[in-house]
Amino acid sequence: MSEENNLCIKKCGFFGTAENMNMCSICYKKYMEKQSLAEKVAKKAKGKEESEAVGKKAEESEKGGYIEKEEGKMEEEVTECRCFNCNKRCRMGVSFKCRCDHVFCSKHRYPEEHNCSFDHKTFGRQSLAKNNPLIKGSKIDKL
């Protein structure tokens, strides 16, 4: 009978079970979320320490102007998605990357709309010349 009347140790008014450390299911779920969050924070702290050490090693071994970026910075660049022209926040499915290496919203995605610095006409001509070589027929000796 004592197992049936065990109230939650968090004093929320619900009944707790021994499997959930004498907590009700709601309080136990919140407790587990806090535990997993604490573990994630601890892992991130370890990751930051390791990435700082990697960053210092990369700075020391700089060769030819090439420095390896930290993993944290690379993630920030990926998550931040704003139009280069109007600074509007874009969702990942709605953003467009131009050949001038900038990200644009749906309004400024065309080269005419954002005054693109990339020469599309010359690029198109070069790709056509490369992909479609001139075919000359073999010459026949005339009699």
Side-chain angles (χ1 to χ4, degrees):
M1 281 207 160
S2 63
E3 291 181 3
E4 295 176 7
N5 295 330
N6 286 342
L7 290 176
C8 178
I9 60 172
K10 298 285 186 172
K11 299 181 182 178
C12 64
F14 293 107
F15 293 102
T17 61
E19 296 168 353
N20 295 342
M21 299 184 325
N22 293 329
M23 289 186 250
C24 66
S25 60
I26 297 169
C27 294
Y28 183 73
K29 185 177 178 183
K30 289 179 183 178
Y31 172 76
M32 293 306 291
E33 287 175 358
K34 287 181 183 179
Q35 290 289 66
S36 65
L37 182 63
E39 289 174 4
K40 287 180 183 178
V41 169
K43 286 181 182 179
K44 282 188 178 183
K46 279 187 176 180
K48 282 186 178 181
E49 291 173 2
E50 290 173 3
S51 65
E52 288 175 1
V54 169
K56 289 178 182 177
K57 289 179 183 177
E59 288 176 6
E60 291 174 2
S61 65
E62 181 179 352
K63 294 180 182 177
Y66 176 77
I67 299 175
E68 294 181 17
K69 292 185 177 181
E70 295 178 19
E71 291 181 26
K73 289 184 180 178
M74 295 175 85
E75 290 176 358
E76 289 175 10
E77 292 175 10
V78 173
T79 57
E80 185 64 29
C81 182
R82 292 191 172 267
C83 177
F84 184 73
N85 204 19
C86 64
N87 204 28
K88 178 182 173 184
R89 186 181 295 166
C90 302
R91 290 181 285 156
M92 292 307 290
V94 183
S95 61
F96 300 93
K97 187 169 183 179
C98 184
R99 289 190 176 139
C100 61
D101 293 329
H102 295 294
V103 177
F104 297 100
C105 63
S106 59
K107 185 178 179 183
H108 299 110
R109 67 181 171 177
Y110 298 114
E112 303 86 37
E113 296 294 326
H114 66 265
N115 298 326
C116 188
S117 60
F118 186 80
D119 191 7
H120 292 276
K121 190 181 279 187
T122 306
F123 178 75
R125 287 181 181 160
Q126 289 174 351
S127 65
L128 283 175
K130 181 181 176 184
N131 294 332
N132 299 329
L134 185 61
I135 300 174
K136 294 183 181 179
S138 60
K139 294 188 178 183
I140 300 174
D141 294 332
K142 293 185 180 180
L143 294 174

